[in-house]
Amino acid sequence: MGEPVVMCLRTDGAAWGNPGPAGIGVVLQDDNGKTIEQHKESIGIATNNQAEYRALINGLQTALRHRPNLLHVLLDSELLVKQLNGQYRVRSPNIRDLHTQAVELIRKFERVEVEWVSREWNRAADGLATQAVEEAQRARRVL
């Protein structure tokens, strides 16, 4: 057997307005901090929490393809972290299905640690999410 594969997943969602035009950013890194994959995408109109969950789901799907033994998930949404760790119940019907999808994906990994980080420690994912919204808004103005 080889050495355990450890990866770090950083995701973020951005919504301009709540709800409003939204985007997601995903950065998957190896245990040395080198980016393996990154993704940004406009997701149409969503709330901040919907965008956060959609970014997480996309990131978990991305990480699954690489099959890490340990996945560190770093999020700057305290709400998501506490919901995923079972400290808060999911009360909002507009994120209940997204939470269920995220939990089902997390269960497919050998080991996952979900942790809150400040926004400054999540700049790469935050920047991608913001770029996705900006690019979609520019494209709408051009049309």
Side-chain angles (χ1 to χ4, degrees):
M1 295 178 101
E3 290 196 28
V5 177
V6 179
M7 293 184 180
C8 178
L9 175 64
R10 300 172 185 272
T11 69
D12 200 18
W16 292 1
N18 203 17
I24 62 171
V26 172
V27 178
L28 182 65
Q29 300 169 317
D30 66 16
D31 60 346
N32 294 316
K34 180 181 175 222
T35 298
I36 298 167
E37 279 193 55
Q38 65 180 24
H39 176 74
K40 66 180 174 185
E41 179 182 343
S42 169
I43 59 168
I45 303 299
T47 66
N48 286 313
N49 291 333
Q50 287 170 323
E52 293 280 1
Y53 267 110
R54 296 222 4 226
L56 175 62
I57 289 165
N58 184 289
L60 291 168
Q61 290 168 335
T62 299
L64 262 176
R65 292 194 303 268
H66 296 275
R67 302 310 262 166
N69 301 95
L70 171 58
L71 182 65
H72 292 284
V73 179
L74 304 177
L75 307 171
D76 62 18
S77 168
E78 189 174 1
L79 176 72
L80 260 69
V81 171
K82 289 190 174 189
Q83 287 176 337
L84 292 167
N85 288 331
Q87 295 169 277
Y88 286 176
R89 287 193 356 234
V90 180
R91 294 191 173 144
S92 176
N94 70 353
I95 61 170
R96 199 168 286 134
D97 289 343
L98 295 170
H99 175 266
T100 299
Q101 286 177 51
V103 169
E104 288 172 0
L105 285 167
I106 286 170
R107 288 184 180 139
K108 293 181 179 188
F109 291 88
E110 187 176 324
R111 186 167 162 216
V112 174
E113 295 175 354
V114 179
E115 184 180 336
W116 177 84
V117 294
S118 68
R119 192 172 182 189
E120 77 178 48
W121 289 100
N122 205 25
R123 277 197 186 127
D126 177 72
L128 290 171
T130 301
Q131 284 176 18
V133 179
E134 288 172 346
E135 289 169 6
Q137 291 300 94
R138 273 197 301 274
R140 285 185 67 215
R141 284 192 294 273
V142 170
L143 299 175

